[in-house]
Amino acid sequence: MELCLEYGYTSLNHYGEELCGDNVASSVNGDYTTLVLADGLGSGVKANILSMLTSKILCTMAANDIDIYECVETLLQTLPVCKERGVAYSTFSIMHVNKEGEGFLFEFDNPEAIYYHNGKCCNFDRVEMHVCGKKVFRTELRLSEDDIVIIMSDGTIHAGIGMILNFGWEREHIMKHLDEHITPKMSARAVACLFASACNDLYADKPGDDTTVAALKIRRRTDVNIMVGPPVDKEKDDFYVDRFLEGETKKIVCGGTSSLIVARHLNTEVKTSFDFPDKNVPPIGYIQGIDLTTEGVITLRRLLELSEKYLSTTDLTPKTYSKKDGASLLADFLFEKATHVRFFVGQNVNVAHQGLPIDTTMKMKLVERISDNMRNMGKKVELNYD
């Protein structure tokens, strides 16, 4: 069983500010993933610059295997100290973890990380250490499948203070809320968005502080093969479909002609649904032995829109998909469930598109843009053209 790491984050800007005073930096180097969340003092441009400086320095040093004590020491000696408050201009949380779930977490003045394990939120065993006279907490990480580590800026615990809540969102209530709403199969990005969205609700859509939630999850590798369009040489249909069907993967077919080719190869037929969960997305189909069958270009256009929203670090739309239209079902497979995706893109001209403003180039551009967005989500994507 191969395990993979994924991560994602969502940020809320202080109400009235164009820039966020929090910053998240990430790096994947071999088997190790480094994730840093920094919170600059105050808000606005100065906080944004300081948090960006903090996150970039820490992420670069840790990703290059520089001893974490030296990383923290360098950072603490670099950061100025606020003369009025006597505190550092930026706080931080840093995770450095390999694909086996082994690594460490360091925290300096950010709210304590939350550990989601066996379907329940709990606390880490943290060790207090002192670097350059500053108190830093270290946690040894030994993560198992479907574990999630959630790090955050203090905007989370300040949510609702003086408004809905008298003293902000207390840790025990945060953990209870997450216990009730997180499921073990949710992606790291979906968890971060869920948490940040709840904070925004407590702020009544007017955050009184920059608020950022980042999550890192260890999960089982899940492969998806997706066929889009028929191959140029019709004589190679069976060879093309054989490649698409090989391996223990989830299998998706996009496009009417592609569906007919696959159904013929499997000695079965395509059954079309007459349900329209979304009037702007054509209905799905069913092929025995195939996990999902959808229409082609129109559905892919909608999928591209969904990928942009899913990738956005400021969009609070839930990153889970409950709708049953073809694009939403595709998004659930590709964005939430998959870790590795192989596209099989046929370049034959579809006779059904003659006279319509749809061509092979448009289809290929859609696939390439969706693939780029999925890579930015952390997915491993392979494109095969036939």
Side-chain angles (χ1 to χ4, degrees):
M1 178 182 70
E2 183 179 345
L3 295 174
C4 304
L5 290 173
E6 67 175 21
Y7 57 87
Y9 74 96
T10 300
S11 290
L12 311 175
N13 289 10
H14 186 292
Y15 183 68
E17 295 286 354
E18 293 186 11
L19 296 175
C20 186
D22 304 334
N23 198 271
V24 175
S26 60
S27 175
V28 178
N29 188 3
D31 286 342
Y32 277 86
T33 294
T34 306
L35 186 67
V36 180
L37 188 160
D39 179 0
L41 185 65
S43 60
V45 175
K46 184 168 69 174
N48 176 266
I49 293 172
L50 289 166
S51 63
M52 185 179 299
L53 175 68
T54 300
S55 61
K56 295 296 184 184
I57 290 174
L58 279 176
C59 192
T60 301
M61 294 182 73
N64 284 279
D65 294 323
I66 295 175
D67 183 84
I68 190 61
Y69 292 93
E70 186 176 342
C71 295
V72 174
E73 184 178 11
T74 300
L75 204 288
L76 293 180
Q77 289 180 338
T78 303
L79 288 178
V81 173
C82 176
K83 293 180 180 179
E84 294 179 4
R85 306 185 196 182
V87 296
Y89 269 117
S90 184
T91 63
F92 59 81
S93 302
I94 173 171
M95 283 188 282
H96 187 62
V97 193
N98 65 19
K99 291 182 179 180
E100 303 303 315
E102 299 176 346
F104 56 75
L105 163 69
F106 277 85
E107 298 169 286
F108 171 60
D109 275 2
N110 271 347
E112 183 179 347
I114 293 174
Y115 181 31
Y116 183 79
H117 176 65
N118 288 336
K120 188 174 179 61
C121 290
C122 52
N123 297 313
F124 281 118
D125 292 327
R126 304 197 302 167
V127 177
E128 183 180 320
M129 50 182 285
H130 294 269
V131 181
C132 297
K134 300 293 183 181
K135 187 186 297 184
V136 180
F137 290 92
R138 176 188 174 100
T139 301
E140 295 289 339
L141 298 178
R142 296 287 184 272
L143 308 179
S144 52
E145 184 180 349
D146 290 333
D147 281 359
I148 305 172
V149 181
I150 304 167
I151 55 178
M152 67 206 85
S153 65
D154 61 6
T156 55
I157 60 176
H158 293 158
I161 194 166
M163 300 170 66
I164 297 174
L165 303 173
N166 289 331
F167 304 106
W169 203 7
E170 296 180 10
R171 181 178 177 81
E172 61 178 296
H173 297 143
I174 290 175
M175 295 172 73
K176 181 181 178 182
H177 177 83
L178 295 177
D179 282 341
E180 293 172 351
H181 292 87
I182 294 178
T183 63
K185 296 305 177 184
M186 286 176 68
S187 69
R189 193 175 296 273
V191 169
C193 182
L194 182 150
F195 188 179
S197 181
C199 293
N200 189 59
D201 289 342
L202 291 175
Y203 278 122
D205 297 328
K206 296 181 178 180
D209 192 5
D210 297 300
T211 304
T212 299
V213 180
L216 180 143
K217 178 178 182 178
I218 185 166
R219 54 177 296 184
R220 185 177 302 191
R221 172 173 173 160
T222 302
D223 289 82
V224 174
N225 285 356
I226 177 168
M227 177 175 169
V228 183
V232 174
D233 187 350
K234 294 182 180 180
E235 299 297 322
K236 291 185 177 180
D237 280 358
D238 288 329
F239 172 74
Y240 180 60
V241 176
D242 276 332
R243 289 175 58 213
F244 160 69
L245 293 174
E246 68 183 8
E248 295 295 322
T249 72
K250 299 292 184 181
K251 297 172 178 64
I252 299 171
V253 180
C254 291
T257 305
S258 303
S259 302
L260 293 173
I261 292 172
V262 172
R264 184 173 65 243
H265 182 89
L266 295 173
N267 197 27
T268 185
E269 60 183 14
V270 183
K271 296 181 180 180
T272 304
S273 170
F274 293 99
D275 295 330
F276 279 83
D278 186 328
K279 65 180 182 179
N280 296 315
V281 180
I284 63 172
Y286 300 93
I287 303 173
Q288 187 175 356
I290 300 300
D291 295 283
L292 178 62
T293 304
T294 76
E295 180 273 341
V297 172
I298 297 173
T299 303
L300 289 175
R301 278 181 183 158
R302 177 60 179 153
L303 181 67
L304 177 61
E305 294 173 7
L306 292 176
S307 73
E308 300 285 356
K309 296 187 76 172
Y310 188 89
L311 196 59
S312 170
T313 59
T314 57
D315 181 81
L316 296 179
T317 305
K319 303 301 181 272
T320 51
Y321 300 93
S322 57
K323 292 179 64 176
K324 300 303 178 183
D325 63 277
S328 296
L329 292 170
L330 263 176
D332 184 55
F333 267 109
L334 299 178
F335 307 161
E336 278 289 286
K337 294 177 180 175
T339 60
H340 294 67
V341 179
R342 297 172 71 200
F343 279 92
F344 295 83
V345 186
Q347 301 181 74
N348 198 1
V349 177
N350 192 332
V351 294
H353 292 163
Q354 290 184 356
L356 297 174
I358 299 173
D359 58 22
T360 303
T361 303
M362 178 186 295
K363 178 180 64 182
M364 290 173 62
K365 286 182 178 178
L366 280 171
V367 171
E368 287 170 1
R369 289 180 64 187
I370 292 168
S371 298
D372 286 343
N373 284 347
M374 290 177 62
R375 290 189 182 100
N376 289 332
M377 295 174 197
K379 314 292 183 184
K380 303 296 183 185
V381 182
E382 176 184 323
L383 290 172
N384 299 280
Y385 295 97
D386 290 274

